Amino acid sequence: MKNFLSFIIILSSIIFISSCDQIKKMDNTDYYVEGVSINNNTQNTDSVSRKTLLIDFTGIRCVNCPEAHEIINQIKTLHPNRVVAIAFHGTSLAYPIAPYKINLRTDEGNDVISTFGINAIPTGLINNFDKTKLQERQTWAATVDTSLEQNPSVEIKTFYCYNSSERELKTIILVRALKNMPDQNILSVYLLEDSIITRQATVEEPGYIENYVQLNVFRKGITNVWGEQVSGLSKTGDVITKEYSIILDTSWNENNCKIVAFLRNNSNFVLNAEESQYITKY
Amino acid sequence: MKSLLFIFTVLLLPLAMLGQDTTTLVKKKIPSIEIKDIYGKPFNTSEIQNDGKPIIIDFWATWCKPCIKELLTLDENYVDWQDETGVKIFIVSIDEARSMNRVAPFVNGKGWDFEVLLDPNSDFKRAMGVIDVPHTFIIDGNGNIVYEHSAFYEGDEEDLYEELLEISKKEE
Amino acid sequence: MKKFFFLSFFVLVAFYAKSQNSGNISGNFQVIMQSYNNDSIIGATQPAEKVRLNSYADFLYTNKNFSAGIRYEGYFNPLLGYNQKNDGFGFAYRFAQYKLENLDITVGNFYEQFGNGLVLRSYTDKYIGYDNAFDGVRLKYQPFTGMYIKGLIGTQRYVFSKTNLGYSQVINRGLVRGADLELDLNQAIKKLNESSTFILFGMNYVSKYQKAENQYVTINDSTFTLNLPQNTGAFSTRLNISRGMFGFSGEFAYKAQDPTAENNYIYKPGTATFLNFTFSKKGIGLIISGIRIDNFGFRSDRNASLSDLNINYIPDITRNHIYAFASMYPFVTQNNGEMGISSELTFKIKKGSKIGGKYGIDCRLNYSRIHNIYQKQINEQTPLNQSGTDGYITDFFNISKELYYQDINVQIFKKFSKTFKMTLIYQNEIFNYGVLRGEPAEPNVNANIGIIDFTIRLNKKNYLRFETEALFSEQDMGSWLMEEVEYTVSPHWFFSVNDQFNYKNPDGKEAHYYMGAFGFKNNNTRIQLSYGRQREGVICIGGVCRAVPATNGFMMTITSSF
């Protein structure tokens, strides 16, 4: 009995000692490869493509947030036109304390952050609007990749018209069902602003970047930040259109403003998202 | 609401059991767990013996203030208590990796005479149901756990001493 | 449904055990409840629920060679400052263990440590919210006298979350397998049986498997996908020798390529070295420890961070202080690189000597200093720690000029008479706030700390303790003064009031952090209630830390074992 047991133990040890990938040294050029290994159909010009929504909870005094922004850039570079990003600035790390002067926090953003119980940033949501789906930045790339393989169930189009003298933005959101689905869904439409220059804290010396470019900053909900219930999308081909109008605050640069719309089902899973051009461009 | 329900249910269980035959519960023995002696060598807790005389087992850590206080008072009284009851005190340190290293110089530096055991991964601590240190047990001559207390306030050593006397008298 | 099944199963087992008169049930439970108020002066916020609660209950059943246990955890909702991903309530831990002759088998959840833990250590500590239990199978086998073999395979706990189908919330779990061999040479080798030189030798190997998922790296404005290894192994050897008053213990570990979020996805192998020299005889003890950690974070999920999913444990060689201000700036072990030394001398000035007095004096001197390891760029073009490269070049015997931590402290304890005893402490600390708290813009904290703690015995049961602490610093929150008075009535009651006054704050935000507490205990149960302000800070045990937010409110703790 004892000998047999010892034999089993020695055998299992040999088997698992050999389970090590790295005994062969990786050549420097083998550490990384071009492009993306999973999911090569990143350019979908004919049929409607599924766009993934990436929500980033961030702050100007959050030292790890630049890394999260970099990851979003990498993802968008590798999947051009397939990823829609929204940055909610909030928690105590977004509070403007000198010399961080600009306040990118919003009441609506704070509402989402406190309802989701978010204390630690950066953290994010990919195709979800539910606090149990919060994900750390290291897993965003992989999650976005798999999400882009899905076939979209709705198509979203954004139309807009901006009156610069009154700073009034009118927008129409069109949603078309691509398959039969449950009737009740939630539509959220936000106004975001790109290229806001702020000081941003970072992990590298000296601990901050003076003129950092903030992107995808949530400025205001064109619908309520929690979205509004819409119905009328139960069968393939059903179309709903919604019209909205907001006035842009004078501190926002309209040349960098864009509209983002996303539709989620009642389980808070995002079915599709869309991002417009800058509202002063046609 | 849910939390109250949980507390209520959890409290019910031990109460239900206490209502039953208490002697079975009281007859708890030291579980047999592999820990280490002061030299870092494997030591099985079933080897905690004192020839039929009472034993005190005290869980502590070098970073725990009340633990050190308790051990200082036990050190002061050890000789007297040994004379009267023949008790042997085993102190089990739950310090981490430094155990094999930091505990021995610490104990010697204070001149303590206790038997020192090391429980670096808290295996013995968990098996004895200890949540916080200090936690002290008295084991009678038959290996049964007959008394325990957790936390330490100054003067508690008097309490411990009275219990110890009672237990050693029972043996006689 | 599942939880009711488990609970009723356990209750049935309990009654069965009693009827058999051979089995035994024991357990404990703990409830910590805290109420929160807004307090803008100290930066305390109130969550929507106003009151939050963490609760745990452990049940253990043993019957001769068999034991089984279960742990119930309930978060209603998790206390601020603890991992907010823990959520809901249910059974978070369960195991069954059986011992035959020389074989011990555990299935289910278990904790384990190999050697010093440099390669593998799984444990739990509720105060820092740490729990990396394994879920799998573990075997312990003793083939010959003096030889101990352990083997395990399993996945690790991340959080307990009811909404994510139990506690396996990690999307892409890593699988860990490991084995450890320990040889007590004095038992194993006949010639050494009676020797007064004790030798202990050990070695272990652990490998983790995790599916590789896309991770990008940007090099010179182009984005690439990293080629990640799916299996990573680490191994270590250790030796303990002691003879008479002297002792030596050392462990050396090596880890293969392990690009992770923690080390910025570099491909350099890691090493860890941990050495201790001790000298002790009655009345005097000396320990000198050295540590060198080079890229030695080892986790079962390459994307994990902070205290999540560690397979290993890097020991903290600095002193874990007991007093509030002495532990205001604790060292945090640095998985990516640290190199340092620590030494502690404890001695007792004899009872009856002139200075010693009737009871003697306990003295302790401690010194520790930790730097970063020496790092050099691989080549001119590649910055240090660039993802997708070997990261850096290092030299074992060279040390970086970057200081992480220095602590010099002296402690004296003297019992003057039956009614009066006193502890005096002086400490000087240099704390690299940028590295140890992750805020690079902050300067190093230089602090001088003085503590006086004395106890007066009023009578056999009543004691009064006074504690004064002072911390002088010009960085971070500035200087502090603390007063505490504690009155205890043995064996049941204690009352205390305490005020930590931040009397000189560089931002002008002076504040009093007052706290009143009282508690009751009997043999198995402890209840404690406190009210007041808790300052923001960190709690560290063994180099693993948890951030404590500023809070204002009541806190109640109930612990009991049965």
Side-chain angles (χ1 to χ4, degrees):
Chain A
M1 176 62 183
K2 238 191 188 171
N3 288 332
F4 180 66
L5 214 47
S6 324
F7 172 72
I8 297 282
I9 288 170
I10 293 169
L11 190 65
S12 1
S13 340
I14 293 173
I15 291 171
F16 93 10
I17 283 175
S18 57
S19 66
C20 188
D21 268 352
Q22 81 80 57
I23 305 286
K24 68 178 196 303
K25 176 168 166 78
M26 276 180 158
D27 238 343
N28 238 329
T29 53
D30 288 339
Y31 288 172
Y32 49 82
V33 295
E34 297 264 354
V36 186
S37 46
I38 302 171
N39 179 27
N40 285 313
N41 55 334
T42 54
Q43 302 280 21
N44 234 326
T45 45
D46 300 314
S47 49
V48 180
S49 56
R50 199 256 199 270
K51 292 199 187 182
T52 287
L53 181 74
L54 195 162
I55 301 179
D56 170 31
F57 296 98
T58 189
I60 52 180
R61 287 167 36 238
C62 152
V63 296
N64 289 318
C65 290
E67 200 184 292
H69 301 153
E70 175 60 27
I71 290 172
I72 297 175
N73 288 343
Q74 287 168 344
I75 292 172
K76 280 187 149 189
T77 305
L78 279 164
H79 302 289
N81 275 328
R82 297 293 305 275
V83 179
V84 174
I86 301 174
F88 281 111
H89 283 246
T91 77
S92 54
L93 288 171
Y95 194 79
I97 292 183
Y100 297 88
K101 289 176 235 140
I102 298 180
N103 184 10
L104 297 177
R105 301 180 351 147
T106 56
D107 287 338
E108 295 172 294
N110 287 340
D111 189 19
V112 174
I113 286 170
S114 62
T115 307
F116 285 174
I118 295 171
N119 289 311
I121 53 175
T123 186
L125 289 165
I126 297 177
N127 281 339
N128 276 295
F129 205 70
D130 180 328
K131 74 178 200 185
T132 60
K133 300 286 191 291
L134 286 164
Q135 272 180 254
E136 303 309 303
R137 64 194 182 279
Q138 298 91 352
T139 57
W140 291 353
T143 310
V144 171
D145 288 339
T146 35
S147 72
L148 291 174
E149 288 166 19
Q150 292 162 7
N151 286 320
S153 51
V154 294
E155 178 188 15
I156 302 177
K157 283 196 155 96
T158 58
F159 303 96
Y160 50 87
C161 175
Y162 180 65
N163 182 328
S164 53
S165 51
E166 283 157 52
R167 298 187 72 76
E168 185 185 13
L169 172 68
K170 287 203 173 107
T171 174
I172 295 176
I173 309 293
L174 183 149
V175 185
R176 179 162 68 94
L178 299 172
K179 39 172 94 138
N180 293 343
M181 48 194 256
D183 194 26
Q184 296 292 333
N185 295 289
I186 304 163
L187 177 68
S188 306
V189 187
Y190 300 158
L191 185 81
L192 310 184
E193 186 179 343
D194 271 343
S195 308
I196 304 176
I197 311 293
T198 71
R199 176 188 257 237
Q200 169 73 45
T202 172
V203 279
E204 280 124 29
E205 300 289 318
Y208 60 88
I209 297 172
E210 199 54 66
N211 296 309
Y212 186 86
V213 179
Q214 304 280 3
L215 300 171
N216 311 310
V217 178
F218 172 86
R219 282 302 206 179
K220 188 186 166 89
I222 296 175
T223 60
N224 181 291
V225 74
W226 295 102
E228 56 180 53
Q229 287 277 351
V230 294
S231 59
L233 284 172
S234 49
K235 287 196 308 296
T236 313
D238 280 350
V239 170
I240 55 170
T241 52
K242 290 273 173 181
E243 232 179 275
Y244 306 98
S245 147
I246 62 158
I247 307 286
L248 261 59
D249 192 283
T250 46
S251 63
W252 306 343
N253 181 347
E254 60 269 25
N255 295 310
N256 293 334
C257 284
K258 56 190 180 184
I259 300 162
V260 154
F262 63 93
L263 190 83
R264 66 187 198 270
N265 61 21
N266 280 334
S267 314
N268 291 320
F269 174 71
V270 175
L271 301 170
N272 211 341
E274 184 57 83
E275 182 179 41
S276 73
Q277 304 265 35
Y278 291 136
I279 60 177
T280 50
K281 285 200 175 73
Y282 288 97
Chain B
M1 191 55 222
K2 263 190 228 162
S3 47
L4 287 173
L5 193 62
F6 166 73
I7 295 173
F8 185 63
T9 322
V10 162
L11 280 171
L12 256 188
L13 190 58
L15 287 175
M17 299 198 302
L18 283 170
Q20 302 284 321
D21 178 12
T22 51
T23 55
T24 330
L25 274 176
V26 169
K27 255 200 229 143
K28 248 163 59 168
K29 294 217 182 235
I30 307 174
S32 155
I33 307 284
E34 289 289 334
I35 52 175
K36 300 202 177 271
D37 70 12
I38 198 173
Y39 302 104
K41 305 216 151 203
F43 178 93
N44 192 303
T45 56
S46 55
E47 294 171 54
I48 296 178
Q49 306 260 12
N50 192 19
D51 288 330
K53 284 181 276 201
I55 296 170
I56 291 179
I57 297 183
D58 187 331
F59 284 87
W60 69 292
T62 58
W63 41 260
C64 158
K65 207 188 337 180
C67 303
I68 310 291
K69 280 199 202 156
E70 181 170 27
L71 292 175
L72 287 170
T73 58
L74 290 183
D75 175 55
E76 273 172 38
N77 296 302
Y78 200 19
V79 172
D80 293 333
W81 291 8
Q82 274 177 317
D83 283 340
E84 285 168 56
T85 65
V87 68
K88 198 165 182 190
I89 301 182
F90 287 82
I91 61 174
V92 185
S93 154
I94 60 164
D95 282 87
E96 288 105 12
R98 341 50 142 4
S99 343
M100 278 147 234
N101 319 297
R102 188 168 287 236
V103 171
F106 184 94
V107 169
N108 274 314
K110 292 207 176 303
W112 291 344
D113 284 317
F114 312 121
E115 303 289 322
V116 181
L117 295 173
L118 308 176
D119 187 18
N121 210 29
S122 294
D123 296 321
F124 189 32
K125 169 176 173 261
R126 267 193 296 273
M128 291 285 271
V130 171
I131 308 178
D132 284 325
V133 285
H135 200 114
T136 306
F137 297 87
I138 301 184
I139 290 97
D140 72 10
N142 298 318
N144 299 313
I145 301 172
V146 291
Y147 170 85
E148 65 183 283
H149 79 220
S150 70
F152 177 78
Y153 303 155
E154 302 282 357
D156 282 356
E157 68 274 17
E158 307 274 345
D159 225 35
L160 193 65
Y161 176 58
E162 277 160 24
E163 290 289 331
L164 189 64
L165 271 183
E166 253 192 65
I167 290 158
S168 68
K169 287 208 177 90
K170 272 199 199 138
E171 322 263 284
E172 292 156 29
Chain C
M1 207 53 234
K2 240 200 207 167
K3 32 184 190 306
F4 285 115
F5 169 74
F6 274 119
L7 198 58
S8 38
F9 173 76
F10 230 80
V11 173
L12 284 172
V13 168
F15 285 112
Y16 171 77
K18 259 188 317 297
S19 68
Q20 295 297 93
N21 250 5
S22 61
N24 179 277
I25 284 224
S26 62
N28 57 61
F29 69 85
Q30 186 173 36
V31 176
I32 308 167
M33 192 159 83
Q34 194 163 5
S35 81
Y36 301 95
N37 297 319
N38 281 316
D39 188 338
S40 51
I41 299 173
I42 64 172
T45 52
Q46 183 184 66
E49 319 85 327
K50 295 184 192 165
V51 177
R52 289 196 177 185
L53 189 131
N54 281 9
S55 53
Y56 317 96
D58 271 287
F59 302 94
L60 179 67
Y61 169 72
T62 49
N63 187 344
K64 298 189 191 114
N65 289 328
F66 173 78
S67 61
I70 204 161
R71 183 197 311 143
Y72 196 89
E73 291 183 21
Y75 301 93
F76 307 99
N77 290 314
L79 296 171
L80 288 185
Y82 285 84
N83 192 334
Q84 298 297 302
K85 293 203 180 95
N86 283 310
D87 147 60
F89 58 99
F91 291 100
Y93 184 92
R94 75 273 178 278
F95 77 94
Q97 183 172 19
Y98 195 74
K99 293 183 213 213
L100 305 150
E101 293 183 27
N102 300 330
L103 184 65
D104 179 334
I105 305 174
T106 308
V107 293
N109 294 106
F110 55 88
Y111 297 103
E112 183 57 68
Q113 178 171 337
F114 289 169
N116 289 301
L118 280 183
V119 165
L120 189 141
R121 178 180 186 214
S122 125
Y123 71 106
T124 182
D125 190 322
K126 300 215 178 59
Y127 291 112
I128 46 170
Y130 192 96
D131 192 333
N132 62 347
F134 279 107
D135 188 9
V137 179
R138 173 190 56 196
L139 269 85
K140 289 203 234 192
Y141 183 53
Q142 200 185 339
F144 317 108
T145 335
M147 185 189 241
Y148 303 84
I149 298 180
K150 293 190 230 189
L152 62 86
I153 184 165
T155 53
Q156 286 186 290
R157 171 192 166 130
Y158 175 45
V159 289
F160 172 74
S161 176
K162 191 184 104 171
T163 49
N164 283 277
L165 310 165
Y167 51 91
S168 44
Q169 199 194 352
V170 175
I171 303 159
N172 176 12
R173 299 200 110 195
L175 181 69
V176 179
R177 24 272 144 133
D180 179 85
L181 165 74
E182 188 162 272
L183 267 175
D184 179 351
L185 281 133
N186 297 80
Q187 281 183 47
I189 301 179
K190 278 220 181 92
K191 266 195 219 167
L192 294 173
N193 276 349
E194 301 301 313
S195 169
S196 56
T197 309
F198 300 131
I199 307 177
L200 193 71
F201 169 77
M203 57 188 237
N204 59 68
Y205 179 79
V206 174
S207 134
K208 64 154 173 167
Y209 163 79
Q210 185 186 20
K211 202 170 78 149
E213 285 188 328
N214 278 353
Q215 205 62 242
Y216 304 134
V217 59
T218 306
I219 296 177
N220 295 330
D221 292 331
S222 303
T223 307
F224 301 92
T225 311
L226 285 170
N227 204 351
L228 297 167
Q230 299 197 116
N231 287 293
T232 301
F235 103 100
S236 91
T237 52
R238 62 189 185 270
L239 183 67
N240 280 29
I241 304 177
S242 51
R243 187 187 171 87
M245 302 180 291
F246 295 92
F248 165 79
S249 115
E251 184 167 346
F252 175 77
Y254 175 86
K255 180 189 68 153
Q257 289 176 336
D258 185 28
T260 62
E262 184 173 30
N263 67 13
N264 211 34
Y265 301 100
I266 62 175
Y267 285 71
K268 182 184 181 305
T271 63
T273 315
F274 181 49
L275 301 167
N276 297 279
F277 299 90
T278 58
F279 167 80
S280 70
K281 63 173 197 176
K282 183 154 181 205
I284 187 164
L286 172 67
I287 171 173
I288 302 177
S289 307
I291 195 165
R292 183 177 185 277
I293 302 294
D294 174 9
N295 183 20
F296 221 77
F298 191 39
R299 299 177 191 252
S300 62
D301 176 5
R302 67 175 72 81
N303 297 317
S305 58
L306 301 174
S307 298
D308 296 331
L309 296 163
N310 282 307
I311 298 174
N312 70 345
Y313 169 77
I314 305 295
D316 175 16
I317 60 168
T318 69
R319 164 152 267 272
N320 266 196
H321 288 284
I322 291 168
Y323 289 88
F325 290 174
S327 54
M328 198 186 280
Y329 298 107
F331 181 68
V332 183
T333 50
Q334 299 296 304
N335 284 350
N336 286 335
E338 69 171 57
M339 184 165 174
I341 192 170
S342 165
S343 65
E344 184 163 293
L345 176 69
T346 2
F347 59 94
K348 189 167 179 120
I349 299 178
K350 280 218 183 87
K351 299 183 204 196
S353 70
K354 228 200 280 184
I355 323 168
K358 185 170 168 204
Y359 300 95
I361 304 182
D362 285 349
C363 309
R364 188 194 76 215
L365 280 94
N366 171 269
Y367 173 75
S368 13
R369 187 171 170 111
I370 315 227
H371 283 241
N372 190 5
I373 51 171
Y374 171 75
Q375 289 183 330
K376 198 171 82 160
Q377 284 180 230
I378 318 174
N379 55 45
E380 292 247 321
Q381 299 81 24
T382 316
L384 283 177
N385 294 312
Q386 161 70 48
S387 301
T389 68
D390 280 319
Y392 55 87
I393 297 176
T394 185
D395 181 338
F396 192 91
F397 295 102
N398 246 333
I399 193 168
S400 154
K401 291 212 170 62
E402 193 181 355
L403 175 66
Y404 281 170
Y405 184 83
Q406 180 175 277
D407 181 12
I408 305 173
N409 58 81
V410 181
Q411 175 172 311
I412 296 175
F413 167 76
K414 179 164 181 174
K415 181 164 173 174
F416 289 86
S417 68
K418 226 178 166 189
T419 51
F420 186 73
K421 53 188 168 187
M422 179 161 91
T423 302
L424 285 173
I425 298 176
Y426 166 70
Q427 180 188 15
N428 174 289
E429 231 189 310
I430 303 177
F431 180 85
N432 185 326
Y433 203 93
V435 171
L436 300 175
R437 293 279 169 94
E439 291 190 43
E442 297 294 319
N444 285 1
V445 172
N446 274 310
N448 278 298
I449 297 149
I451 299 172
I452 303 174
D453 178 13
F454 62 87
T455 309
I456 299 172
R457 177 186 194 270
L458 302 169
N459 60 42
K460 206 164 88 156
K461 300 272 173 191
N462 295 274
Y463 286 76
L464 199 56
R465 184 178 70 87
F466 294 88
E467 183 179 311
T468 303
E469 297 190 34
L471 186 146
F472 306 101
S473 171
E474 292 182 18
Q475 294 83 28
D476 191 36
M477 290 180 90
S479 297
W480 296 78
L481 193 63
M482 174 177 119
E483 301 286 342
E484 177 168 317
V485 181
E486 182 181 81
Y487 176 62
T488 55
V489 182
S490 171
H492 295 302
W493 297 95
F494 90 87
F495 303 88
S496 75
V497 282
N498 160 315
D499 178 37
Q500 296 185 3
F501 181 32
N502 185 202
Y503 69 88
K504 200 162 133 200
N505 184 309
D507 295 326
K509 294 188 183 149
E510 281 79 29
H512 281 270
Y513 293 75
Y514 46 80
M515 173 91 65
F518 76 90
F520 169 83
K521 72 172 173 80
N522 72 15
N523 294 350
N524 295 338
T525 309
R526 259 202 263 194
I527 302 176
Q528 183 167 324
L529 189 63
S530 64
Y531 173 75
R533 279 174 165 174
Q534 165 82 52
R535 83 179 141 75
E536 189 184 336
V538 285
I539 266 190
C540 294
I541 298 184
V544 181
C545 308
R546 164 175 82 82
V548 178
T551 56
N552 177 325
F554 280 98
M555 175 147 98
M556 178 168 81
T557 316
I558 305 174
T559 57
S560 181
S561 43
F562 53 86

